[in-house]
Amino acid sequence: MDIPVTAPVDPSALTDLLDGRWAHVRRDARIRMSELPAPPVDLPTEEHRAQVLDSLRALVASGYPRAGFPKEYGGEADTGAALTAFEMLGFGDLSVMVKAGVQWGLFGGAVVALGTEVHHERHLRAIMDLDLPGCFAMTETGHGSDVQHLRTTATYDPATGEFVVHTPHEGARKEYIGNAARDGRMAVLFAQLVTGGESRGVHALLVPIRTGSGEPAPGVRIEDCGRKAGLNGVDNGRLWFDNVRVPRDALLNRYGDVAADGTYSSPIDGDSKRFFTMLGTLIRGRISVAGAAGSATKTALKIAVRYAQVRRQFDNPETGEEVVLLDYLAHQRKLLPALATTYGLHFAQEELVTTLHELRTDDDRAQRELESRAAGIKAVATWHATKTVQTCREACGGAGYLAENRLPGIKADTDVFTTFEGDNTVLLQLVAKGLLTGYQQHLHALGSAGMARFITDQVLGTVLERTAARGLIDRLINAVTTQDEETDLLERGWHLKLFEDREKHVLDTLARRLRRAGEEGADSFAIFNRAQDHVLRAARVHIDRVVLEAFVAAIDRGTDPAVTELLDRLCDLHVLSNVEADLDWFLGHGRLTTARAKAVTSAVSELCAHLRPHAGTLVEAFAIPDSMVGAPIALGAERDRQDAQRAHEAPELPRMEDSEEAVTP
């Protein structure tokens, strides 16, 4: 393996590529973010909540909320811009990001997606302007991830033309509802709709939770969730409803309606299909969380890399000078593979946003594929954030443990990202089920030969649909004729083929495993439950391929040769560190020999050393305003570097035994 020399790169040239299609949104957001209060350190809860609400009012004044709303109500109907602007909020106080997401993404987004003209005309302008603060009341204590079986009821009373909303028992209380504890006035509430004595599945209604004076509405009980590990600028609360009556037009009735006499109607047949269609319209939440997690990860990496460029520790015996942290291979291995994967996830996120922005409303298959990919990238991006922020904290030692240096706060605020907007483990199972769509109906109908053909011709042919730069990636893969030990470890076609081969094998063996279990007579739950480890791996390696293809496509879009060269090496590191982390699989399945595996580990170390001079460029390219970075160890990096340089240029102090004043006892 011969690593080509990588020339220095202007960070701004790299920023141009990172900013992508919505660069103007990112530029505007950086200006807007600089005008907001810096992320706070240990503010009392009420002060923090008040500051966050003030920040939302400032966002309203700047026009931030309008991008995601329909033009006829004062919005701009620019989905990509709305998601990009939200992602940028992740560089600042994450409580502002979450509260903005609740108000305009979840609450407002649900009214747009699930409501009809009467709801839009009545509420959207007030929602955009923050005149109607709201919340998204879906999660229940007893059915957190199992939304389809939540227990709150909305029973239609034809005598009065009202829905009666009720919390039947403690497990049905609405739990962890953002904006509910202090500021919310209305909730988009998800409940089992009952009319004519028959349940019609989960639907959403607009339910007032406070009066104009701010007191709980009649029949509504509100409780503050209290102090949390992080995100304490968000007023999370619990909600109970005691036979609360709301008018019939409170039902967000795009997908299901109730006539005055109680007759139910829907354009979609089947409660289950209707439920998943409704949830599919709310896909923006998962995409938004993935993007915000990426922003927080970038902030942590910028702090840690800046610090590692100036902090010195232990003398080099050859020179007598203290060694900069980032010159240690172990330190490079902590930060640089994580930085490489962060770039890959950035490009995958950009592709995800673009796909949603361009999605046709009549393309059901594309919608399902997007929902699956959004679930997977959300899971991978938030787990990556949790791991990387912790790594950055450790890389900064005791300085990283100080609240003023932001890493503890980022760690606390992002920790919950792995479980809200969908628990990550559950989301990966959804990805895997999507990959195996169509398999279950063939489970009992096909013989072994038919099953083999199905796996080869249908499952793999469907799930390996290219996600980015299809022609380019096919050419790169087809150019690789072998995967033996003669193939260069930096060969991009080999990387793509290796990831694709891993995905094919894992899906193939998963399908066969499920098939065998079915033939043995196990019930469907037992079959899937016993294979959960395999299911999660199938989803994860699928997303690994999606991220790699997005990375390759982004490199191909570049026009600056120096930027392309740097990103090529960064992509090499992303790939080979992924392979190194999964060496047990590659060795155990004969994809790599022992010698080749050792070469991969050596290559990761060589790439880290090669990229070390460019680490500063790679984090500066994120273009995070210093006012948002906030951490003294990052902001004072250049000053510390100069101080350290002066210290090393000072004359060496005489050793005691060499001094004429030394006293011999």
Side-chain angles (χ1 to χ4, degrees):
M1 183 188 74
D2 185 19
I3 303 177
V5 174
T6 301
V9 171
D10 181 350
S12 63
L14 195 49
T15 302
D16 289 342
L17 183 62
L18 286 168
D19 280 358
R21 177 172 175 174
W22 286 278
H24 64 288
V25 176
R26 296 184 188 276
R27 287 193 296 268
D28 291 347
R30 291 182 183 111
I31 296 171
R32 183 169 59 241
M33 287 158 48
S34 298
E35 297 170 350
L36 295 178
V41 177
D42 202 26
L43 268 184
T45 300
E46 284 308 309
E47 288 183 33
H48 194 182
R49 289 177 175 180
Q51 180 174 296
V52 167
L53 186 60
D54 286 344
S55 292
L56 260 64
R57 293 192 180 105
L59 291 175
V60 171
S62 73
Y64 162 85
R66 302 195 175 276
F69 287 88
K71 291 182 178 179
E72 54 267 43
Y73 303 104
E76 298 167 4
D78 191 336
T79 300
L83 290 169
T84 302
F86 183 84
E87 177 185 328
M88 296 298 287
L89 289 179
F91 288 122
D93 180 358
L94 291 170
S95 286
V96 173
M97 181 273 296
V98 170
K99 195 172 179 77
V102 169
Q103 174 66 21
W104 296 303
L106 293 177
F107 177 58
V111 175
V112 171
L114 302 180
T116 50
E117 185 177 354
V118 63
H119 307 105
H120 299 167
E121 185 64 41
R122 188 179 297 167
H123 298 300
L124 288 187
R125 292 180 182 85
I127 291 171
M128 281 188 285
D129 292 341
L130 204 58
D131 293 333
L132 178 60
C135 48
F136 187 81
M138 177 182 279
T139 300
E140 293 182 358
T141 301
H143 289 83
S145 296
D146 187 8
V147 178
Q148 195 168 8
H149 296 100
L150 54 75
R151 300 303 189 209
T152 300
T153 56
T155 304
Y156 183 66
D157 180 359
T160 62
E162 296 172 314
F163 286 100
V164 182
V165 177
H166 187 61
T167 304
H169 52 76
E170 192 65 18
R173 76 185 186 200
K174 295 298 180 180
E175 182 74 60
Y176 224 88
I177 309 303
N179 246 9
R182 195 187 81 153
D183 297 324
R185 294 294 181 268
M186 180 176 284
V188 168
L189 179 131
F190 289 79
Q192 299 287 349
L193 189 148
V194 180
T195 182
E198 184 178 355
S199 176
R200 295 293 183 170
V202 174
H203 288 66
L205 302 91
L206 287 169
V207 181
I209 62 170
R210 282 187 174 85
T211 64
S213 62
E215 296 300 313
V220 178
R221 179 156 65 97
I222 302 173
E223 183 178 286
D224 196 320
C225 287
R227 190 82 178 169
K228 307 179 293 289
L231 298 175
N232 283 299
V234 182
D235 52 320
N236 293 97
R238 303 182 181 99
L239 298 172
W240 292 259
F241 300 88
D242 184 9
N243 294 304
V244 174
R245 289 181 172 267
V246 295
R248 184 167 61 90
D249 63 6
L251 178 66
L252 296 176
N253 59 340
R254 179 178 177 184
Y255 296 108
D257 202 1
V258 176
D261 65 357
T263 303
Y264 180 81
S265 61
S266 172
I268 301 172
D269 292 330
D271 292 350
S272 183
K273 183 177 180 181
R274 186 184 315 112
F275 170 76
F276 285 108
T277 300
M278 287 192 292
L279 287 194
T281 65
L282 305 176
I283 189 175
R284 294 187 188 189
R286 285 171 184 165
I287 296 177
S288 297
V289 171
S295 296
T297 305
K298 292 167 189 171
T299 302
L301 283 165
K302 185 166 186 173
I303 293 169
V305 168
R306 274 189 171 183
Y307 184 66
Q309 289 178 307
V310 299
R311 177 73 163 91
R312 293 177 179 270
Q313 190 81 285
F314 303 112
D315 288 350
N316 180 336
E318 299 298 322
T319 65
E321 294 186 349
E322 286 186 303
V323 180
V324 174
L325 285 182
L326 202 53
D327 287 342
Y328 288 105
L329 176 61
H331 213 78
Q332 294 165 11
R333 272 182 158 272
K334 283 182 181 179
L335 297 178
L336 298 187
L339 181 55
T341 296
T342 300
Y343 266 74
L345 286 167
H346 173 95
F347 295 128
Q349 174 73 11
E350 181 182 27
E351 183 186 320
L352 198 60
V353 170
T354 300
T355 303
L356 178 61
H357 183 81
E358 297 176 350
L359 186 69
R360 297 199 326 266
T361 56
D362 61 346
D363 193 337
D364 290 340
R365 177 180 170 182
Q367 172 76 23
R368 290 193 302 271
E369 289 175 352
L370 180 61
E371 290 168 14
S372 176
R373 200 182 319 157
I377 289 176
K378 183 269 177 184
V380 171
T382 54
W383 268 329
H384 175 68
T386 295
K387 180 179 179 181
T388 301
V389 173
Q390 175 63 22
T391 296
C392 290
R393 207 294 300 157
E394 293 178 17
C396 293
Y401 198 58
L402 293 175
E404 68 175 3
N405 288 322
R406 289 211 57 209
L407 292 171
I410 295 173
K411 178 181 174 182
D413 285 347
T414 57
D415 188 54
V416 76
F417 285 17
T418 60
T419 51
F420 77 10
E421 285 301 310
D423 176 271
N424 284 356
T425 300
V426 175
L427 293 183
L428 285 189
Q429 291 181 71
L430 292 177
V431 174
K433 287 179 180 179
L435 297 178
L436 294 172
T437 295
Y439 168 73
Q440 188 171 6
Q441 67 190 50
H442 293 268
L443 188 62
H444 298 294
L446 294 174
S448 297
M451 189 64 216
R453 287 194 301 273
F454 172 68
I455 292 169
T456 301
D457 298 337
Q458 289 185 253
V459 176
L460 300 182
T462 298
V463 301
L464 294 185
E465 179 89 16
R466 297 282 171 238
T467 55
R470 181 179 305 177
L472 166 69
I473 291 166
D474 283 340
R475 288 195 303 273
L476 290 170
I477 290 176
N478 292 335
V480 180
T481 57
T482 65
Q483 295 205 54
D484 58 26
E485 297 197 26
E486 299 302 316
T487 306
D488 193 323
L489 285 175
L490 303 186
E491 175 64 45
R492 187 71 69 230
W494 179 72
H495 296 162
L496 291 161
K497 198 166 186 177
L498 192 67
F499 275 40
E500 182 173 296
D501 175 66
R502 178 176 58 173
E503 181 180 357
K504 283 182 178 179
H505 182 90
V506 172
L507 283 169
D508 187 350
T509 54
L510 173 59
R512 293 178 189 277
R513 180 177 177 180
L514 295 173
R515 169 66 176 174
R516 285 195 303 271
E519 289 174 341
E520 293 167 1
D523 66 74
S524 58
F525 170 77
I527 290 172
F528 201 78
N529 193 45
R530 286 203 296 263
Q532 268 195 323
D533 57 334
H534 206 154
V535 167
L536 296 175
R537 170 172 279 279
R540 183 59 193 256
V541 298
H542 170 71
I543 297 301
D544 285 345
R545 178 182 63 83
V546 168
V547 172
L548 174 56
E549 290 187 358
F551 207 151
V552 172
I555 294 171
D556 187 60
R557 291 196 298 271
T559 57
D560 185 322
V563 168
T564 299
E565 181 67 32
L566 177 57
L567 288 180
D568 263 328
R569 300 292 75 77
L570 197 66
C571 187
D572 292 336
L573 180 57
H574 164 68
V575 171
L576 295 182
S577 59
N578 182 296
V579 173
E580 183 183 41
D582 205 16
L583 277 181
D584 284 349
W585 188 91
F586 287 106
L587 285 166
H589 291 82
R591 267 53 179 186
L592 296 177
T593 64
T594 302
R596 188 74 159 167
K598 290 180 179 178
V600 167
T601 296
S602 296
V604 170
S605 295
E606 289 181 46
L607 284 164
C608 284
H610 180 84
L611 288 166
R612 184 263 178 262
H614 304 279
T617 296
L618 290 166
V619 296
E620 296 308 320
F622 297 145
I624 311 169
D626 278 351
S627 62
M628 292 292 101
V629 174
I633 56 171
L635 301 181
E638 181 60 21
R639 181 198 64 229
D640 292 347
R641 186 191 67 79
Q642 294 174 356
D643 289 347
Q645 184 65 30
R646 285 193 293 270
H648 281 276
E649 291 171 353
E652 184 179 353
L653 294 174
R655 292 176 297 174
M656 181 63 73
E657 59 268 29
D658 294 337
S659 171
E660 294 180 357
E661 298 179 6
V663 178
T664 302

